[in-house]
Amino acid sequence: MQTTIKIAIQKSGRLSDVSKSLLKECGIKIKNGKNQLIAPAVNYPANILYLRDDDIPQYVADGVADVGILGQNVVDETQAKILVAKKLGFSRCRLSLAIPKSENYTGLSFFQNKRIATSYPKILEKYLQKNGIQAELHKISGSVEIAPNIGLADGVCDIVSSGSTLFSNGLKEVEKVMDSEAVLVTNPNLNPKKQTIVDQLLFRIESVQTAQEFRYILLNAPNDKVQKITSILPGMKSPTIVPLVEEGWSSLHSVIRETDFWEIIDQLKTAGAEGILVMPVEKMIL
Ligand code: ATP
Ligand code: ZN
């Protein structure tokens, strides 16, 4: 029988669409089935398990799922025996302490002997302990930000990205406890056949991630400017140079880092580049 792996992703929430998109970019199509708990991949030896994100660590630790996609914040909070095999770079957020806007924040000692509402008591406990703060933690699983308004707590420790949810609840962010992003986790004891499939998946994710950092660039230039332009292009290797039908002109093709592009665009124009086209790269194998 062919070996397959089970990949656990969030059923519905902030991570579900991005997780499905990542799998799709890796060439893994999921057979649609609304409200299913498990769906097979069409062209890949995998089944997709749809779960609450909080349940993913335990399922992966127990080997019910082999791989999971979830936030580092949930990995740290559950402390399950799983391996973080890859940071995925999306769903970036931070876990922060916040207090009512009207309070005067005097530093971490503000929280001494205070009540803090959070869905992340383990991470917070460790953080406060490290900083010598004793506080009363109240575990709440949703809508933590309303706790101070209803008199349940003096502050909160919650996920923040823009801070607008905190702000609209009359709170201000005062300390960052941790940075988080989506990660791919694996069971630490995969059998060799499953490990091979997981390694292949990791390789595909790397190709997608690398491609996202690069752009394919094409430009035209008079032949006497080609050398100068080539020296500006920070390509992986030397650019491809193709003659144009128009006498004395060439087309240069290269791959550059997206972050380099805006720095060199003016130099390229000054050096005589024309008709500059920049395109996304879908996959890239280095
Ligand atoms: P579930 O019903 O599966 O338990 P949930 O309500 O716990 O879902 P979501 O709000 O969907 O979780 O968030 C899932 C993950 O997305 C979080 O654990 C965190 O890693 C990340 N996340 C949460 N809020 C944000 C945000 N504002 N910006 C970016 N990422 C976020
Ligand atoms: Zn959750």
Side-chain angles (χ1 to χ4, degrees), residues 120-136:
Y120 298 90
K122 293 214 182 89
I123 296 174
L124 181 58
E125 174 97 68
K126 218 160 142 190
Y127 174 83
L128 293 175
Q129 221 167 44
K130 199 179 74 192
N131 288 287
I133 304 289
Q134 189 89 40
E136 199 182 300

Side-chain angles (χ1 to χ4, degrees), residues 9-29:
I9 64 173
Q10 192 187 24
K11 184 175 169 60
S12 65
R14 286 174 179 274
L15 291 172
S16 34
D17 284 345
V18 274
S19 303
K20 279 184 231 166
S21 300
L22 175 69
L23 295 177
K24 195 171 161 198
E25 285 175 280
C26 291
I28 301 174
K29 286 199 195 108

